[in-house]
């Protein structure tokens, strides 16, 4: 009887070991246009006009099509959407409002409020903070800070931090996704119970209006991202594990005569870019035998798919 109970416990714990960040691929978008489980606490400053007694509010510029500084974007590394964070500007008080995003548990809310962070599932492996990003700074002093904090019963027991700064950046209209990761440095062997993940665009002093960063595929271990990214793509591939060829099947591809695609390694490096004449065909074959073994993404204008070169 003891053996049966022990085996049952293993079945419960092991599958959770490679669970990933809640909506870490940013595919879950709410009906109000905001990214589920990610946001930042923000309120527009209000006051009273002493002469008229009427309420007044500051004028805020957000430099995008929304009225909040973090929003979904179709410019993604994989899947359909990623998270775009921009700095805002308080026109009334003449200063920059640094953007940011924080992970939180209650998906019914639009911001973390007093309850940022998410619980860590029993047995979940939290070993690093990693993500793909596109960074477009508007000034030379901008600094992006990403942080993962792990909590146990006694408080903080581990932390990973990433800083992104490119003072010599020159925009050339062809920004590619990059990959970054940092290990969690643990200071205790307590059981991890809760984690915070945040992205900050700096302070009023060093942030520039117009600076933005796009974040995608946030992860904390080597397990697969749990959300299927590619159900809405207008193409699919098979097999997804190959040492030579895979086939691309085009679905309602607008009668295009050319299929243009890019292949990226898991670290975000562009390894191939090519255009293939379709000649009326809806299926083409792509030879990936020259690539080294590893995980790759094939991306076109209408979708992304993942494959493994074995």
């Amino acid at each position: 009887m003891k053996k049966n109970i022990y085996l049952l416990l293993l079945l419960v714990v092991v599958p959770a070991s490679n669970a990933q960040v809640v909506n870490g691929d940013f595919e879950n978008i709410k009906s109000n246009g905001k990214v589920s489980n990610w946001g930042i606490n923000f309120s527009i400053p209000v006051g009273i006009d002493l002469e008229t007694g009427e309420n007044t509010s500051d004028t805020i510029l957000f430099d995008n099509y929304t009225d909040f500084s973090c929003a979904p974007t179709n410019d993604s590394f994989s899947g359909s959407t990623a998270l775009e964070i921009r700095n805002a500007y308080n026109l009334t008080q003449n200063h920059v409002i640094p953007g940011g995003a924080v992970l939180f548990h209650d998906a019914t809310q639009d911001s973390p409020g007093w309850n940022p962070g998410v619980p860590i599932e029993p047995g979940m492996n939290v070993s690093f903070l990693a993500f793909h990003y596109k960074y477009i700074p508007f000034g030379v002093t901008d600094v992006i800070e990403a942080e993962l904090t792990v909590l146990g019963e006694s408080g903080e027991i581990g932390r990973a931090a990433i800083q992104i700064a490119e003072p010599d950046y020159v925009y050339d209209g062809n920004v590619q996704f990059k990959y970054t990761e940092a290990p969690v440095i643990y200071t205790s062997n307590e059981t991890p119970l809760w984690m915070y993940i945040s992205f900050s665009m700096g302070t009023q002093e060093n942030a520039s209006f117009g600076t933005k960063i796009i974040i995608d595929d946030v992860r904390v271990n080597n397990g697969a991202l749990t959300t299927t990214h590619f159900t809405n793509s207008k193409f699919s591939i098979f097999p997804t594990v190959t040492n030579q060829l895979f086939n691309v099947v085009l679905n309602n591809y607008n009668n295009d005569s050319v299929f243009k695609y890019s292949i990226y390694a898991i670290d975000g490096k562009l390894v191939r870019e090519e255009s293939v004449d379709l000649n009326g065909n809806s299926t083409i074959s792509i030879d990936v035998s020259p690539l080294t073994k590893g995980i790759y993404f094939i991306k076109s204008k209408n979708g992304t798919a993942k494959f493994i070169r074995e």
Side-chain angles (χ1 to χ4, degrees), residues 19-25 38 103 124 195 197 218-220 226:
Q20 283 292 351
V21 177
V22 177
N23 201 25
D25 53 9
W38 292 87
L103 174 67
M124 181 177 175
M195 66 177 174
I197 298 179
V218 178
R219 56 201 305 144
V220 295
T226 55

Side-chain angles (χ1 to χ4, degrees), residues 8-27:
L8 178 60
L9 289 173
L10 282 179
L11 289 174
V12 172
V13 171
V14 170
S17 63
N18 283 328
Q20 283 292 351
V21 177
V22 177
N23 201 25
D25 53 9
F26 309 108
E27 297 297 297

Side-chain angles (χ1 to χ4, degrees), residues 38-209:
W38 292 87
I40 190 172
N41 294 329
F42 176 75
S43 59
I44 297 177
V46 297
I48 298 178
D49 189 315
L50 297 179
E51 294 183 358
T52 64
E54 297 179 350
N55 292 332
T56 62
S57 61
D58 290 1
T59 300
I60 309 297
L61 303 179
F62 287 95
D63 193 33
N64 58 16
Y65 59 90
T66 69
D67 60 352
F68 35 94
S69 62
C70 58
T73 174
N74 293 328
D75 187 4
S76 59
F77 176 75
S78 67
S80 302
T81 54
L83 179 69
E84 180 178 293
I85 307 172
R86 289 177 176 263
N87 293 329
Y89 193 81
N90 187 318
L91 195 61
T92 304
Q93 300 185 33
N94 193 31
H95 67 74
V96 175
I97 303 172
V102 175
L103 174 67
F104 58 93
H105 183 56
D106 188 355
T108 65
Q109 302 298 313
D110 292 333
S111 61
W114 296 102
N115 298 293
V118 294
I120 296 175
E121 298 179 21
M124 181 177 175
N125 176 20
V126 181
S127 56
F128 55 74
L129 173 63
F131 54 90
H132 291 89
Y133 71 93
K134 275 186 180 182
Y135 178 43
I136 304 177
F138 198 74
V140 297
T141 60
D142 291 272
V143 177
I144 310 298
E145 295 181 339
E147 195 167 79
L148 162 63
T149 304
V150 182
L151 303 181
E153 288 187 358
S154 64
E156 181 178 327
I157 61 172
R159 181 183 294 263
I162 295 172
Q163 189 176 89
I164 300 171
E166 299 181 7
D168 298 324
Y169 173 87
V170 176
Y171 180 70
D172 63 1
N174 188 28
V175 184
Q176 301 294 328
F177 274 97
K178 299 179 181 179
Y179 176 80
T180 185
E181 70 174 60
V184 176
I185 306 301
Y186 281 97
T187 57
S188 169
N189 59 3
E190 286 183 25
T191 300
L193 301 176
W194 199 267
M195 66 177 174
Y196 301 122
I197 298 179
S198 65
F199 294 93
S200 170
M201 300 281 281
T203 65
Q204 288 184 17
E205 289 72 28
N206 64 16
S208 302
F209 183 57

